[in-house]
Amino acid sequence: IFQEAISKLETNNIILFSGPSKSGKSFNAEMILLYKFTVEGFTPHKIDKIEDFDEFYHEEEKQIFLFDDAFGKYNTDFSLADAFNRKLDAIYSQSDDHHKCIFTSREYIFKSFENYSDHHRSKFFKKITVEVDKLDTIERRSIFLNYYKNYISNKMSANTEMFLENIIKHKNFSPETIRAYFTNNKEFDLSSFFNHLNSPDEYLEKDFINLSEEKKIVLLSTLLSLNGNITSISYSYRQICDDFKINKLLSINNILHELDGSI
């Protein structure tokens, strides 16, 4: 993932890390910033609000900018669409070999942006879909050891070392899962760590609560559908809307397209 991103950033001045929650988008983006800073002398900036870009941009400097969750953390804000698009045009025009930009976005939010934005704007980005199964054994081991040594100790206990292969091969291993444990625990306990790996998805409740009403209803409709096809989901959707006396969506297909492959 890292090498693919570096390669695309050489030939294109703007790249986008896209994927589901906790797949390692921010982790990989931050590693690119670190590499560009230490190896190539770029000054890194993490931009929280896209309108703050002008405050940090300096034409004479080598700079790299990270826009994390650029299009919204849980939903796209359509009320800001015009201003956002104008700012994106300006950033694109100012990007060059000495001013590079990295965006991260959850896949369903980027799809929503594509739906409302002028089509050419999504072409600004060289897109990388971040998938945890792309990580090889060496990358997984390095991620775990870096966190362990930085947060706990330079020397790994014999007990932890014995279970290292089980850790890096665990089905729920991801950069974000590992980071979540170490940033919330001052000591390392093997039993509690495996409990965390076995059930790392507490964040999903927060994700669901913060979704738009339309996406919540479509997700519930998918859960309650008999066989998961569009006809069955649409039937469940109509029943839920009737129960809650909500106006039906103009097109359930658009929402399903945004959610597909992400949530």
Side-chain angles (χ1 to χ4, degrees), residues 21-24 132 135 140 143 147 167 170-180 197 200:
S21 303
K22 308 305 176 188
S23 60
V132 175
L135 294 171
R140 288 169 177 250
I143 288 167
Y147 277 109
I167 291 170
H170 196 284
K171 65 178 182 178
N172 292 331
F173 184 101
S174 75
E176 296 294 340
T177 302
I178 302 304
R179 174 158 58 181
L197 276 184

Side-chain angles (χ1 to χ4, degrees), residues 38-162:
T38 57
V39 177
E40 299 183 11
F42 279 79
T43 301
H45 296 279
K46 191 170 184 179
I47 307 296
D48 294 323
K49 297 179 180 178
I50 196 167
E51 58 267 26
D52 293 339
F53 173 76
D54 291 338
E55 182 182 338
F56 296 96
Y57 175 86
H58 295 289
E59 186 176 0
E60 68 280 4
E61 292 183 20
K62 286 177 69 175
Q63 296 176 299
I64 184 165
F65 301 91
L66 171 57
F67 301 86
D68 206 15
D69 289 319
F71 308 102
K73 190 168 180 62
Y74 298 103
N75 296 288
T76 299
D77 190 343
F78 295 105
S79 66
L80 302 176
D82 288 340
F84 185 92
N85 281 332
R86 286 196 298 271
K87 195 69 207 174
L88 198 57
D89 286 336
I91 290 171
Y92 179 67
S93 67
Q94 291 171 287
S95 298
D96 55 33
D97 288 343
H98 289 86
H99 300 87
K100 296 186 179 284
C101 299
I102 302 174
F103 289 75
T104 72
S105 177
R106 300 180 185 202
E107 180 70 10
Y108 74 90
I109 294 177
F110 183 67
K111 286 181 178 178
S112 178
F113 163 74
E114 286 184 305
N115 283 342
Y116 81 75
S117 178
D118 291 344
H119 185 65
H120 78 278
R121 288 194 178 87
S122 63
K123 301 302 180 185
F124 291 170
F125 304 98
K126 285 287 184 183
K127 185 177 166 189
I128 301 168
T129 302
V130 181
E131 298 170 359
V132 175
D133 58 11
K134 286 184 179 180
L135 294 171
D136 63 27
T137 301
I138 295 173
E139 288 173 317
R140 288 169 177 250
R141 185 190 301 273
S142 296
I143 288 167
F144 177 79
L145 291 178
N146 284 338
Y147 277 109
Y148 189 94
K149 291 175 180 178
N150 284 326
Y151 283 82
I152 308 299
S153 167
N154 281 324
K155 185 173 176 60
M156 183 179 295
S157 70
N159 195 30
T160 302
E161 195 164 355
M162 185 187 310

Side-chain angles (χ1 to χ4, degrees), residues 22 144 147 167 170-185 187-204:
K22 308 305 176 188
F144 177 79
Y147 277 109
I167 291 170
H170 196 284
K171 65 178 182 178
N172 292 331
F173 184 101
S174 75
E176 296 294 340
T177 302
I178 302 304
R179 174 158 58 181
Y181 179 85
F182 283 104
T183 54
N184 291 314
N185 293 276
E187 297 181 359
F188 183 82
D189 177 78
L190 199 58
S191 177
S192 69
F193 180 75
F194 274 109
N195 286 337
H196 169 75
L197 276 184
N198 290 331
S199 302
D201 295 334
E202 288 85 356
Y203 70 90
L204 288 174

